[in-house]
Structure formats: C-alpha cells, structure tokens
Amino acid sequence: MCALDVEVLSDQRIGRVYGAKDHDYTDGVICAKVSRYKERVHHADRLTQPLLRVNPKTDAEPHFETVSWDKALDVIVQRFTDLASTHGTESIWPYHYAGTMGLVQRDGLDRFRHAYRTTKQKCTICTALADAGFEAGHGTKRGADPRRMQQSDLIVVWGGNPVNTQVNVMNHIAKARRQRNARLVVVDPYRTRTAEKADLHLCLKPGTDGALACAVMHVLFRDDYADRAYLEKYTKDSDALEEHLRSRGPDWAARITGLSTVEIEQFAQWYGETANSFIRLGYGFSRSRNGAVNMHAASCLPAITGAWQHPGGGALYGQSSIYHLDKTVIEGKDVNDPNIRTIDMSRIGPALNGCEEDLQGGPPIKALLIQNTNPAVVAPQSADVKKGLLREDLFTVVHEQFMTDTAKLADVVLPATMFLEHDDIYTASGHTHLQIGRKLIDAPGECRSNHWLLQQLAKRLGLNHPGFELSEWELIDDLLERSGWPDAQTVHEQGGIDCAQSFEDMNHLNGFGTPDKRFHFSPDWAAIGPNSAGMPKLPDHWEVIDAATEECPLRLVAAPARQFLNTSFTETATSKKMEKQPLAWMHPDDMTTYQVVDNDWVALGNQHGEVILKAQAFTGVQVGTVIVESIWPDEHFKGGAGINTLVSADAGQPNGGAVFHDTAIWARPYS
Ligand SMILES: Nc1nc2c(c(=O)[nH]1)N[C@H]1C(S)=C(S)[C@@H](COP(=O)(O)OP(=O)(O)OC[C@H]3O[C@@H](n4cnc5c(=O)[nH]c(N)nc54)[C@H](O)[C@@H]3O)O[C@H]1N2
Ligand SMILES: Nc1nc2c(c(=O)[nH]1)N[C@H]1C(S)=C(S)[C@@H](COP(=O)(O)OP(=O)(O)OC[C@H]3O[C@@H](n4cnc5c(=O)[nH]c(N)nc54)[C@H](O)[C@@H]3O)O[C@H]1N2
Ligand SMILES: [Mo]
C-alpha cells in the first residue's frame, strides 16, 4: 500500500511509477517490481475479452472462444440458477483474496456471497496465524508507528524479509543506522538479503522461534533487564512467566533452534540494554503449525523490558485496527446469515475433493467464482487444488488480468481492470494511512472492474442490496461517512488520511486492547479460535511442527521472491529475467548427504507429491533446511508441479492459517 506518483501519458497509457515523495512513510521509495508496473498494465498478454472454454479441462492445452459480456453473463447465470435449484446456493463458492487490496474491489465478493446465500470463505491464507498470535497478548492489531523506527537504537526484523517483501522498512532502518548507529538483528532461517545487512543474524531452524523468544526472556529476567514497575502496571501473569522460563534458558533453546548460546546471549543482552528497541514482526515465522504460539512468544519481549514506553520502542506487526471502518455496505454484513456454511480458503484442495470435514454435511462445491487470487498455484496442496479444478462437474469462473494457472482451468474467464483503471480506497497494515486511488486511465478492450461484474450478476440473479446500486465512488463515500471520516472528495484531495493515533495509544500506554487492558503472557487461546486443543498456556516451544523424519529428513521454507508479488509479476519479462528460474537452495553438506549436485536437477518430495527444480549450493542455512523462493507458475518447474504441491493444507491453530514454511521433505538427484 505504498503511496505512488504515477506518470499519466494519455487516457490509455501510464509512464513511470514512483514512490510518493510527500508521503512520510513511502518517502519516495518503492520496490523495483512496482516501479515497473507499466510493464504489467500495458502487457501484450493481458486478458481483454470474456472467454468460454471449448475443450475438456483434462486436455493439456486449454482452448477458449471469445464471447460478448452478455453471452458470458448468461452462461454464468444459467449455470448458477440450475445449481441453486438442484444443489442449493451453498454449492456455489465465491472465492477471493487480495490481488487488489482495495476495499471495494476486493471485498465486494463478500456482499455477493451474503446476498446470494452461497458458501462463505474463512480468510486464512495470509494473516490468520499471525493475527491470532499477536492478538493473544495485545487484544488488538496495532503497534508502534513505523516512522518511529528512525528513533530506535535496536531494530529486530523477526521472521520477515523486508528487502524482498516491504522495502520501505529498509529505508527507515537505514535512517536509524545512519543517524544513530542503530543495530539491526534479523531472525530468519536463511541468510536473506535483509539478513546480509544485519549486525547479528540468528539463523535458526524454522518453527523454533518460541524457544528463542523464551531463552531471551529468561535472560531478561535473569540479568535484571525486566522492568518490574512496567510489568506490574501493564501486564498479567508475569510471575508465572518468570517461573516457567527458569527451565528455558539459552542451553535449552540452543538445542531446539540450532543456534549457539553465544548468539542467543548476545541478542538478549543487546535487547535488554536497549530501552527503545523496535521489533518488526513479519508474517513468515507465523506460517507454521505452531506459528500463533511463536508470534505470541516473540511479541512478549517489549512487554518485559517496557520498551513500549520509549519513542522508537515497542513492536509492530500490523495496524489494521486504527481505521475503524464500518464495512456494512461493502461487505453486505447486514444480510450475512450465520447459519450458512463457511469454508476455510486454505483448504480449497481437500474441499474441492469432497473432504467431509470441510464440507460440514453441506452440498459438494459445484461452482467457483474467483476474483483476485490464483489458488491453483498459491494455495497449499496444490496438486489437490488442481485435481479439484479438473473435475468436469465443477463450473469455474475466473475474473482475471492474465491467463493464470487457475484461469487455464476455468470454464469462463472474464477480463479484469487493474488498480489504475478503477476507483478504490485502501487501508495499510505496515503504515498508518487511509488512501484513495482514483481511476487514472481507461482499461484495455472489454476489461471490467470486480464491482461492475458483481453488479451485473446481482441484477440478473435478482439480488437486492444497496451495495449493488452504488457506484464505486459512492461506496467509498458511504464507507467514509459511516465511519466518521471526511467525505471521499476531501480525503482524495488531501492525499489520504494519516490515521495514526497518539504515541500513548499506538504504544499501548493507555492500556492494551484486552478486556483488562493488560498484556497477556498467558493467552486465552480458546477465545481466539475454535481449535485451541493442546496449545501451551505460556510462551514455549510447541512441538507440533512437521518435524524431520528418517523418510523426510529436510525442512522446506517456501519464501516469497523479490521480483514477484505472490504470482503477480510472474508474467512480466523483467521480473522473470531477474528471478531466472525456481531454485532449491541447499546446504553443501546436505547436497553431499543426498547426492544432489550443484546446479543440477533435484527432486523434492513428501506424501503430497514431488517437485523438480535446479539445486543451488547455499551456506546461508543450517544443515537440514532447504529454501525455495517463489511463487513461480507451474510451467517453470520440470514436470509442471509447483512448490505448493509439497505444502500441507493442515490448518494452523487456534483459528486456521496456511503453514507454508512448515514442511518436511526428502531430496534426491533427478535425472
Ligand atoms: N517481493 C514480494 N513482496 C511481497 C510478497 C511477495 O510475494 N513478493 N508478498 C506480499 C504478501 S501477500 C505478504 S503477506 C508479505 C509477507 O511478508 P513477510 O512479513 O516478509 O512474510 P514472509 O514473506 O512470509 O516471510 C518470509 C520470511 O520469513 C522467514 N521464515 C520462514 N519460516 C520462519 C520461521 O520459522 N522463523 C523465522 N524467524 N522466520 C521464518 C523466511 O525465511 C522469509 O525470509 O509480503 C508482501 N510482499
Ligand atoms: N509457497 C508459498 N505460497 C504462498 C505464500 C508464500 O509465502 N509461500 N504466501 C501466501 C500469501 S501470504 C498470500 S497473501 C497468497 C496470495 O496469493 P494470491 O492472492 O493468489 O496472489 P497472486 O498470486 O498475486 O494473485 C492475485 C491475482 O489477482 C489478480 N488481480 C489483481 N487485481 C485484481 C482485480 O482488481 N480484479 C481481479 N479480478 N483480479 C485482480 C492478479 O492478476 C493475480 O493473478 O499466497 C500465499 N501462498
Ligand atoms: Mo499475504
């Protein structure tokens, strides 16, 4: 959600894209891939006309015929109506994610679900585990203002890779280092480009952050770095925590994490000595079966030293609670029937293949209406997702900008606008601004916005809801008015609103978001999600990860690549050229053990399938950890199975969440 300055060359063309200089978080900086957005907007392969599949989905090459919008809409409405009468509207599953982050274009599908009484979606693919872990202690999703990183003397990037995923963080860190000689610590299972810049890189085993956090807290209590007055005033259960941590010191954590006690002691000492330490909590370390527990454990640190009390101190995971938006109309919340089934989006593979638990006694899924996401590639157990999408009795509609792997398996493909071609409003999570993006250019061909499509379907299906009657701009205006913000025109003209609250509020000095306003060291997991069985009462190493075994002795982290945005930009020539090809980064000792040759083919596999790609020797991991940066489309892997073939669709506890970086695998040379 960087603020952008976009050069407009004509009604149809953009030129260069820059980070907005007058936006104090973006600060003129954006990542390379977004600065090349023109390549994506004006790409020759953009979908520009509605398409109908004319050959069986099981044929290797899809064939589509071009049709008018009227014809495409008729086909969809006819099929949906037939399914509604034979299997009920719950057999239709509108499925979306965050290809656009605009609230109107992204979340309108929720209104469609509610108004049409279709199966609903539990959104778990990205933030569910991290949200659960952060809210466990804080009771809200809000934290230190990211611009205050510049006032910090120790910045800890924990389980994220901002050089790849959020380059603005690096800009603010660079300022702190230049101006105050601030230290940078990175906690990550591989030497990322972020870790390369660190004063200390804690290269731990994936899924062991709970142990590291416990050992650091042990030292903070042991060496008198705990702020007793702060603990007394602002936290709950600190005595129980201190007692619990006595047996969880650096030796214990070294065995679990694979780090040395020296490294752990060093980090704990720096953290203890620095009043204004700033932890930037990433998503990456929450993408494990124990991810919520690990997120909670790491988020306890500033509550022990009282770092929250100091400008530049505290922690930031996300800021979504500061916008207080009333999304009733956009999301159709007023017509949401709680008795209608909700399916976990990360379990789309098992769900499409008839898994009883996911279907909850309801009808099988007979139709999908997909916007803003590419589940054939991005979702766990992707071989199962594809098997499901190949069902001849499944009717799939994909509204897309490009012929993605998901679109290739659709019955109807509809061309979508891009964010510069429609109006929308955006909240941020890494910064604090609410921003409006107006349509700047006309879309090519017959591309239509998500909102337009939903309006057309609603009209033809006879769905009544005020949200379908309003234009995009009117929806934005209505949202702002209901939420107590100025009107859309005003917000747009002033370049958005900085919704940051006071230092005291952002840093929880007026109390945390929990009912008793205290930070909770012993969370009530049962209140956060339906599946809290076995979760530890206090921060700990929770041994539920997909541990290495004799059969699957290695652990895979399937992290995001720098030049792609999930699978967006995998279609642009420059991004592809810079990423080259999918690579398995393996420790040289592992290559020897498993007879894998550098720069030669390797097969990675487990019970879910097998993936073939080139191996590359890499010393920036512990022995036993394999890294694959992606998310490459399937065709770039030999044999056509992408990296998420290996990732399990198990739901993280307590409230779901995909476990992308928690995968035991074997490796063999492939010839
Ligand atoms: N270039 C690029 N930018 C992106 C994206 C992209 O695909 N490409 N995706 C966007 C999206 S949707 C999101 S949600 C954000 C995510 O941005 P981040 O917050 O950075 O989260 P991840 O990318 O999932 O984190 C990946 C990092 O977590 C590390 N990690 C994995 N497992 C563990 C663990 O057990 N412990 C620790 N300490 N670290 C671990 C990985 O090695 C990797 O370096 O990025 C956004 N930005
Ligand atoms: N291995 C592995 N897998 C992962 C992750 C990982 O770290 N490792 N990260 C996970 C995470 S955090 C996330 S958020 C998911 C994200 O996965 P997705 O949400 O599927 O993200 P993209 O692959 O970029 O797909 C978004 C699609 O939306 C389309 N799109 C963009 N704007 C619009 C629009 O306005 N209208 C319509 N109709 N379409 C639009 C784009 O063309 C693009 O094809 O992937 C997850 N998968
Ligand atoms: Mo994400």
Side-chain angles (χ1 to χ4, degrees):
M1 241 63 60
C2 319
L4 304 178
D5 283 337
V6 180
E7 194 181 13
V8 178
L9 303 179
S10 73
D11 287 349
Q12 283 83 32
R13 288 200 79 78
I14 63 158
R16 297 200 56 176
V17 175
Y18 304 92
K21 288 202 182 59
D22 58 359
H23 185 272
D24 54 11
Y25 180 77
T26 297
D27 193 24
V29 176
I30 45 163
C31 60
K33 61 187 180 322
V34 167
S35 74
R36 297 190 303 261
Y37 223 105
K38 137 178 110 179
E39 217 184 312
R40 196 164 186 270
V41 174
H42 301 306
H43 200 297
D45 294 345
R46 265 192 78 175
L47 297 171
T48 55
Q49 285 177 303
L51 303 170
L52 288 189
R53 176 103 191 193
V54 290
N55 64 331
K57 290 184 221 170
T58 40
D59 285 2
E61 279 301 310
H63 291 293
F64 291 98
E65 69 176 16
T66 303
V67 292
S68 67
W69 267 103
D70 266 335
K71 166 82 182 175
L73 290 166
D74 283 347
V75 169
I76 298 168
V77 167
Q78 180 67 54
R79 191 66 176 258
F80 279 9
T81 309
D82 288 350
L83 285 173
S85 63
T86 50
H87 292 82
T89 47
E90 280 193 5
S91 66
I92 301 166
W93 193 19
Y95 188 95
H96 83 291
Y97 204 62
T100 172
M101 303 283 282
L103 306 183
V104 173
Q105 309 292 357
R106 186 186 68 193
D107 300 330
L109 205 61
D110 256 331
R111 173 175 7 101
F112 181 80
R113 289 187 189 104
H114 297 329
Y116 196 26
R117 303 176 65 77
T118 67
T119 287
K120 296 182 275 190
Q121 167 179 308
K122 179 164 176 170
C123 286
T124 55
I125 205 157
C126 180
T127 63
L129 276 155
D131 280 355
F134 190 83
E135 285 170 20
H138 300 78
T140 183
K141 189 166 165 186
R142 183 177 80 229
D145 190 313
R147 292 163 292 196
R148 288 193 185 270
M149 247 180 254
Q150 295 177 29
Q151 292 171 280
S152 174
D153 289 309
L154 171 68
I155 297 158
V156 183
V157 172
W158 197 313
N161 180 9
V163 168
N164 280 21
T165 62
Q166 211 190 359
V167 71
N168 305 85
V169 170
M170 299 312 292
N171 179 35
H172 294 278
I173 291 174
K175 286 189 183 170
R177 298 182 96 182
R178 249 193 336 264
Q179 289 161 14
R180 346 172 31 100
N181 222 2
R183 283 191 175 116
L184 173 63
V185 174
V186 172
V187 184
D188 201 293
Y190 77 108
R191 194 169 61 234
T192 59
R193 294 176 188 85
T194 310
E196 278 171 10
K197 299 194 182 323
D199 298 286
L200 177 65
H201 170 208
L202 297 166
C203 188
L204 78 184
K205 292 182 183 165
T208 64
D209 301 79
L212 173 63
C214 283
V216 172
M217 291 191 279
H218 168 103
V219 175
L220 296 176
F221 280 114
R222 183 196 72 193
D223 294 356
D224 219 13
Y225 292 123
D227 182 334
R228 304 274 169 187
Y230 180 88
L231 286 170
E232 178 65 30
K233 185 168 174 202
Y234 286 104
T235 73
K236 181 165 172 272
D237 294 325
S238 64
D239 290 343
L241 176 68
E242 187 174 0
E243 180 55 35
H244 163 82
L245 291 171
R246 278 194 224 284
S247 58
R248 288 166 177 79
D251 286 335
W252 168 83
R255 283 193 297 277
I256 296 167
T257 58
L259 298 170
S260 70
T261 53
V262 177
E263 293 169 293
I264 299 172
E265 292 277 359
Q266 176 70 85
F267 174 36
Q269 188 195 340
W270 284 356
Y271 194 82
E273 280 173 353
T274 314
N276 57 351
S277 57
F278 192 115
I279 307 186
R280 188 67 180 86
L281 295 157
Y283 293 94
F285 80 110
S286 75
R287 307 201 194 287
S288 287
R289 288 167 181 74
N290 59 4
V293 170
N294 292 346
M295 171 60 90
H296 172 255
S299 78
C300 289
L301 266 60
I304 300 205
T305 60
W308 287 111
Q309 299 162 109
H310 309 284
L316 171 59
Y317 155 55
Q319 303 287 23
S320 56
S321 78
I322 64 176
Y323 301 101
H324 55 78
L325 294 174
D326 176 350
K327 299 195 216 166
T328 306
V329 176
I330 288 183
E331 297 182 7
K333 289 181 173 187
D334 48 337
V335 291
N336 175 8
D337 179 347
N339 297 315
I340 292 178
R341 152 175 94 173
T342 300
I343 297 184
D344 180 343
M345 69 180 299
S346 302
R347 298 208 30 95
I348 181 173
L352 289 182
N353 289 289
C355 174
E356 281 301 324
E357 208 178 312
D358 293 300
L359 297 178
Q360 305 156 40
I365 295 158
K366 302 290 276 183
L368 293 167
L369 167 60
I370 300 177
Q371 288 186 321
N372 325 323
T373 182
N374 185 10
V377 184
V378 306
Q381 279 174 225
S382 51
D384 290 334
V385 180
K386 261 168 283 168
K387 187 172 159 219
L389 291 172
L390 282 167
R391 276 171 40 202
E392 278 303 334
D393 69 321
L394 179 76
F395 177 69
T396 303
V397 180
V398 174
H399 190 196
E400 248 303 344
Q401 296 158 345
F402 288 93
M403 188 54 80
T404 59
D405 285 311
T406 308
K408 283 179 190 161
L409 296 174
D411 297 272
V412 184
V413 178
L414 305 170
T417 45
M418 279 192 196
F419 73 106
L420 300 175
E421 300 159 355
H422 57 233
D423 294 334
D424 216 331
I425 181 164
Y426 305 81
T427 56
S429 192
H431 65 81
T432 55
H433 294 256
L434 185 65
Q435 303 181 88
I436 290 178
R438 288 224 78 163
K439 172 175 186 258
L440 294 180
I441 52 169
D442 295 329
E446 294 179 37
C447 293
R448 298 288 183 267
S449 73
N450 291 0
H451 180 61
W452 182 90
L453 172 61
L454 300 182
Q455 285 182 308
Q456 294 300 314
L457 289 174
K459 192 160 76 188
R460 285 160 204 253
L461 291 164
L463 309 180
N464 291 313
H465 190 278
F468 297 120
E469 310 299 322
L470 302 178
S471 69
E472 284 136 348
W473 189 253
E474 287 164 341
L475 277 170
I476 296 170
D477 216 26
D478 171 85
L479 170 76
L480 290 168
E481 192 196 313
R482 285 169 186 277
S483 312
W485 297 110
D487 65 279
Q489 194 57 37
T490 306
V491 174
H492 177 57
E493 274 165 17
Q494 70 191 42
I497 306 178
D498 183 356
C499 303
Q501 299 164 351
S502 67
F503 167 71
E504 286 73 19
D505 282 329
M506 300 296 275
N507 278 39
H508 310 289
L509 298 179
N510 295 321
F512 287 86
T514 50
D516 60 10
K517 299 200 160 211
R518 289 168 176 270
F519 182 89
H520 287 191
F521 290 119
S522 176
D524 180 4
W525 292 115
I528 295 169
N531 185 14
S532 59
M535 295 187 76
K537 293 197 169 39
L538 286 159
D540 214 336
H541 173 60
W542 191 28
E543 293 194 20
V544 291
I545 51 177
D546 193 14
T549 59
E550 209 170 309
E551 218 164 299
C552 291
L554 299 165
R555 298 253 304 145
L556 171 70
V557 172
R562 186 177 194 178
Q563 304 298 339
F564 301 149
L565 179 58
N566 304 310
T567 64
S568 300
F569 295 99
T570 57
E571 64 290 292
T572 55
T574 317
S575 280
K576 271 194 287 199
K577 193 170 150 209
M578 293 172 87
E579 290 294 339
K580 298 191 182 82
Q581 63 180 324
L583 292 171
W585 294 345
M586 296 182 69
H587 195 281
D589 293 356
D590 284 327
M591 292 184 123
T592 307
T593 307
Y594 304 105
Q595 290 152 19
V596 173
V597 179
D598 188 22
N599 210 22
D600 208 340
W601 297 106
V602 60
L604 307 178
N606 61 16
Q607 70 272 33
H608 301 296
E610 188 174 315
V611 172
I612 302 154
L613 67 173
K614 281 277 172 77
Q616 194 157 86
F618 179 57
T619 53
V621 281
Q622 287 195 29
V623 172
T625 305
V626 178
I627 308 294
V628 177
E629 289 189 348
S630 210
I631 316 172
W632 286 91
D634 291 344
E635 65 187 2
H636 297 275
F637 292 84
K638 205 178 182 73
I643 196 65
N644 284 329
T645 305
L646 303 177
V647 171
S648 161
D650 281 3
Q653 287 180 245
N655 198 26
V659 294
F660 291 110
H661 308 323
D662 184 5
T663 307
I665 54 166
W666 48 254
R668 297 186 191 131
Y670 175 85
S671 54

